[in-house]
Amino acid sequence: MNKLEKYLVPLANKIGKNKYLVSIRDGFLVTTPLLIVGSFFLIIAAFPIDGWEGFWTQFFGSNWTDIVRQPVRSTLDLMAIFAVFGIAYSFAREMKTNKLFCAALATAGFFILMPFNFNVEVGEEIVNVGGISTDFLSANGIFVGIFCAFLAVHIYAFIEKKGWMIRMPQGVPPTVAESFSALIPAAVVITIFFIIQVVFSITPWTNAFNFILEVFQNPLKNLGNSLGAIITAFFFSNTLWFFGINGASIMDAIYNPILNTLSLENANLVSQGLEPINIINTQFKDFFAIFGGLGSTLSLLIAMIFFCKSKRIKSLGKISLIPGIFNINEPIIFGLPIMLNPLMFIPFLIVPTMNIIVSYFAMDLGLVAITNGAVIPWTCPVIISGFLSTGFARAILQVLLVIAGIFVYLPFVKMMDKQYLEEEKQTIEKTEKDDISLDGPDLEL
């Protein structure tokens, strides 16, 4: 433990404060409200009940799903645009430069690299038409968007540091002065992105999006969409929590861009009436690997309330139950505690790993459906989240995994319960022994 703490904690702190990872994490938060609202409409269009589509078709016609999916196209299908704006804004904040102009320039650079033509199948022919393909505005454009955000902000901050900016005289309104001060950085940023696009146009990839997709994004996506990758991510995340460091925020900054890409691919397929293909994604991580928070501590809470006898554990379980239902488990991690508790650290690692393996193979074997890519708030309670992301079968699987987790946690928490019962007994005995009677002696006259 001393060696782990010596090397792992400083590394975790360094990663957690990395301005690039922080910017990615905070930038994606900008997209969250839009994605959640768009996902509600995706759920309506593809509600996991047999006969749902036929029921509404008889009232609104066969194209009713196209109407309902319009908000999906305006949110989920444009996710890369929102992401590049949010990441650039967050990174400009970290670099202490103009946030709004940097975000706007990064978005402009994103579209400069964008191909303005794409191929369409017309019968048996492939026709090249003018326009922007939504393929690069959603999942397939995220990594290019991240690159655009970092490059645009770096260029802007460099020029600002050098002082190569137009300074307006005093008395000019601040908004006008800021616009002119951004003129030279904007020209340089746009010119550099234009040169990058020209260079890629003479390569076999023809544009930066194809290059990033083939060389970086697809290999990373395939690596992230694996059982080993998500188990490893949870191992490090839980280990950091053991030392009192928010491992989820650190690992999410690294892993979430890949998971979000995989989720968006599923959502796009579902919106087209096709079946999702990516087992590992954001919804899998949030709702089928853990229940009640990292470590899947909802199972632990149930074991504490129904199977433990010490007042300390039962009271803590009751107090923590409501937050735990909504996947908030800091009261358990710091109150039981799990942090720096080698005994509880064992099931804290085992239960999520068990959930991941069982859920993965249940989906891989077709026993339950793959999650549909709908963005559901991570605080959504168990059963409800399973039903919304897949259907009744997945909700039942969630219940079974929570029950299995109870049996894994039970022997470990019972050991703590026995220890706490003994401590409570000793405290009561000591209190009774230390009681001093202030009543005077009975005197017989």
Side-chain angles (χ1 to χ4, degrees):
M1 285 179 57
N2 291 333
K3 288 184 178 179
L4 282 173
E5 189 171 358
K6 180 180 178 181
Y7 296 106
L8 191 59
V9 173
L11 176 62
N13 286 328
K14 189 173 182 179
I15 293 173
K17 295 177 181 178
N18 184 278
K19 58 187 176 183
Y20 295 97
L21 297 179
V22 169
S23 300
I24 293 174
R25 181 196 64 199
D26 294 347
F28 273 110
L29 290 177
V30 175
T31 70
T32 302
L34 300 172
L35 298 182
I36 291 174
V37 173
S39 295
F40 286 151
F41 285 91
L42 178 61
I43 292 170
I44 293 172
F47 203 65
I49 293 179
D50 292 337
W52 175 262
E53 186 172 344
F55 175 78
W56 291 108
T57 298
Q58 62 182 333
F59 295 105
F60 300 103
S62 58
N63 67 332
W64 78 274
T65 54
D66 292 333
I67 300 172
V68 175
R69 282 172 176 153
Q70 187 60 27
V72 179
R73 300 186 185 100
S74 303
T75 52
L76 294 175
D77 290 355
L78 302 180
M79 191 263 195
I81 301 175
F82 307 132
V84 65
F85 189 93
I87 293 170
Y89 189 95
S90 301
F91 189 51
R93 181 194 62 211
E94 297 292 322
M95 297 290 287
K96 295 179 173 54
T97 187
N98 193 299
K99 299 183 287 291
L100 188 59
F101 283 126
C102 285
L105 286 172
T107 307
F110 178 77
F111 280 103
I112 290 172
L113 299 182
M114 178 80 60
F116 277 74
N117 55 75
F118 58 97
N119 295 328
V120 177
E121 290 187 15
V122 180
E124 297 181 356
E125 297 183 6
I126 303 295
V127 180
N128 188 269
V129 298
I132 297 177
S133 172
T134 55
D135 289 344
F136 292 140
L137 297 178
S138 185
N140 290 338
I142 289 177
F143 281 80
V144 175
I146 294 172
F147 165 79
C148 292
F150 290 150
L151 180 60
V153 174
H154 267 302
I155 295 171
Y156 192 101
F158 175 79
I159 294 173
E160 186 178 52
K161 184 178 179 181
K162 292 293 184 179
W164 301 339
M165 308 181 80
I166 298 174
R167 307 294 182 184
M168 299 298 290
Q170 292 184 352
V172 175
T175 305
V176 177
E178 288 181 1
S179 298
F180 274 92
S181 67
L183 187 58
I184 294 176
V188 175
V189 169
I190 290 174
T191 301
I192 290 176
F193 274 96
F194 171 71
I195 293 172
I196 293 173
Q197 172 56 22
V198 170
V199 170
F200 274 108
S201 67
I202 59 177
T203 66
W205 296 285
T206 70
N207 61 70
F209 285 83
N210 288 334
F211 172 77
I212 295 293
L213 195 64
E214 294 180 20
V215 177
F216 295 104
Q217 184 166 329
N218 283 342
L220 282 174
K221 191 173 63 178
N222 292 335
L223 177 63
N225 190 18
S226 66
L227 187 60
I230 193 167
I231 290 175
T232 302
F234 269 94
F235 172 81
F236 282 108
S237 185
N238 287 25
T239 301
L240 291 173
W241 261 122
F242 175 72
F243 290 102
I245 300 170
N246 192 333
S249 64
I250 295 171
M251 294 309 301
D252 286 353
I254 301 171
Y255 198 22
N256 268 5
I258 298 173
L259 295 177
N260 289 337
T261 302
L262 296 167
S263 293
L264 281 171
E265 284 189 356
N266 282 358
N268 291 337
L269 290 170
V270 172
S271 67
Q272 298 170 28
L274 303 174
E275 293 294 325
I277 58 173
N278 299 314
I279 295 177
I280 306 297
N281 52 56
T282 304
Q283 291 69 44
F284 183 93
K285 174 182 75 73
D286 288 342
F287 303 123
F288 307 119
I290 53 176
F291 309 106
L294 205 67
S296 201
T297 51
L298 182 60
S299 300
L300 174 59
L301 281 171
I302 296 172
M304 290 168 61
I305 294 171
F306 292 100
F307 298 100
C308 291
K309 297 179 180 179
S310 70
K311 293 181 179 179
R312 175 177 174 178
I313 290 183
K314 288 184 76 72
S315 298
L316 179 63
K318 292 175 182 178
I319 293 171
S320 306
L321 181 60
I322 298 301
I325 290 173
F326 294 94
N327 301 315
I328 299 169
N329 66 346
E330 277 80 358
I332 293 295
I333 290 177
F334 298 108
L336 188 60
I338 294 174
M339 184 185 73
L340 298 178
N341 185 341
L343 179 65
M344 294 307 300
F345 182 58
I346 298 171
F348 192 67
L349 282 177
I350 292 175
V351 175
T353 304
M354 174 188 70
N355 293 343
I356 290 168
I357 294 172
V358 173
S359 297
Y360 182 90
F361 284 107
M363 291 184 179
D364 187 53
L365 297 173
L367 301 178
V368 295
I370 297 173
T371 55
N372 56 23
V375 179
I376 305 167
W378 61 271
T379 52
C380 188
V382 65
I383 299 177
I384 297 174
S385 60
F387 173 73
L388 292 178
S389 62
T390 307
F392 286 115
R394 202 63 179 92
I396 293 171
L397 180 58
Q398 284 184 320
V399 173
L400 295 176
L401 288 173
V402 170
I403 294 172
I406 295 172
F407 288 100
V408 176
Y409 268 113
L410 193 55
F412 296 93
V413 76
K414 287 293 287 183
M415 291 184 212
M416 290 191 68
D417 185 51
K418 183 178 180 181
Q419 176 187 343
Y420 289 158
L421 275 173
E422 185 64 27
E423 291 176 359
E424 290 171 6
K425 181 180 177 181
Q426 292 176 1
T427 301
I428 293 172
E429 291 175 352
K430 185 176 184 300
T431 302
E432 292 176 348
K433 184 178 180 180
D434 292 343
D435 281 345
I436 300 176
S437 177
L438 298 180
D439 296 334
D442 292 334
L443 298 177
E444 293 184 3
L445 298 177

